Amino acid sequence: TEAEYVNRPVSPYAATKRSGELISYTYHRLYDMPITNLRFFTVYGPRGRPDMAPYKFISRITRGEEIEQYGDGTTSRDYTYIDDIVDGVVRAIDRPYKYQIFNLGKGSGTKLNEFIGLVEKHVGKKARIKMMPPQPGDVPFTNADVSKARRLLGYSSNFPFDEGIMRTVAWFKEAFGENGERLNMAG
């Protein structure tokens, strides 16, 4: 939950997220600024970040390239489709509070093996997987407790992971070709 004690982060990424919340709280206290912090959980979708697993896996599997799987595939992430995040951001803007932190996510995790299977299904190709050891600082699962956002913002995730991956694959193929052949020309 948003009230969970998170002052001992396990990665630099987590430390920067918490630092931002602490800085914003300081501005709220010093200058009476209304501030809402939004915690996004593994956002993906069309035009997604190329360094994130959803984009990398879709791109590499589409082009028949090898993907790297860290760990045994049982790690779980709360993958959240971009349209759900945008909805949560608009709701937070429309409902200003003095100071709040909200989790925005799907509210349930998907195991890495399931994720790869969905990408294979929608790309129509089998993944070539290189097994890698777990990454240092990686947590075994993430799962957004969105009950506070539901209660105070009226937020709920509307896109099942399967549908989000299907839409993301469709966008990728439209943007870069059925086999990703236009990818190198785009950069």
Side-chain angles (χ1 to χ4, degrees):
T1 71
E2 294 85 347
E4 190 174 331
Y5 184 79
V6 291
N7 288 336
R8 294 181 190 258
V10 297
S11 70
Y13 174 72
T16 61
K17 290 178 85 167
R18 183 62 180 139
S19 297
E21 292 173 355
L22 292 170
I23 290 168
S24 68
Y25 181 75
T26 303
Y27 272 85
H28 163 69
R29 291 289 304 212
L30 289 175
Y31 307 111
D32 198 31
M33 292 175 68
I35 300 214
T36 299
N37 289 288
L38 301 174
R39 294 178 177 169
F40 300 160
F41 281 71
T42 318
V43 182
Y44 75 97
R47 295 171 192 81
R49 285 178 36 198
D51 62 316
M52 297 287 287
Y55 184 99
K56 281 201 302 195
F57 287 1
I58 290 169
S59 174
R60 296 184 75 77
I61 293 170
T62 297
R63 294 180 289 138
E65 296 178 2
E66 185 176 75
I67 63 170
E68 293 179 342
Q69 176 181 309
Y70 293 91
D72 64 2
T74 60
T75 57
S76 178
R77 295 287 172 269
D78 191 336
Y79 297 101
T80 312
Y81 191 65
I82 185 62
D83 289 17
D84 286 330
I85 294 296
V86 170
D87 177 62
V89 169
V90 170
R91 289 172 180 278
I93 291 169
D94 287 347
R95 294 161 183 84
Y97 287 96
K98 285 286 206 180
Y99 181 84
Q100 285 293 342
I101 297 173
F102 294 107
N103 291 333
L104 298 182
K106 185 168 78 276
S108 63
T110 301
K111 289 184 178 177
L112 181 57
N113 287 333
E114 295 172 45
F115 167 34
I116 292 170
L118 285 174
V119 174
E120 290 173 324
K121 170 184 157 185
H122 291 295
V123 166
K125 295 181 181 178
K126 188 85 175 131
R128 293 179 30 231
I129 301 172
K130 179 180 180 181
M131 300 301 289
M132 305 291 287
Q135 292 184 308
D138 207 3
V139 294
F141 68 94
T142 62
N143 185 34
D145 177 351
V146 297
S147 57
K148 182 178 173 184
R150 184 179 301 112
R151 188 175 73 252
L152 296 178
L153 301 177
Y155 171 83
S156 66
S157 173
N158 295 306
F159 286 89
F161 191 51
D162 184 72
E163 182 179 346
I165 290 296
M166 179 185 69
R167 287 173 176 230
T168 306
V169 168
W171 163 80
F172 184 89
K173 288 184 173 189
E174 182 179 320
F176 299 113
E178 191 65 28
N179 295 303
E181 61 272 6
R182 292 193 305 269
L183 187 61
N184 292 336
M185 293 183 270

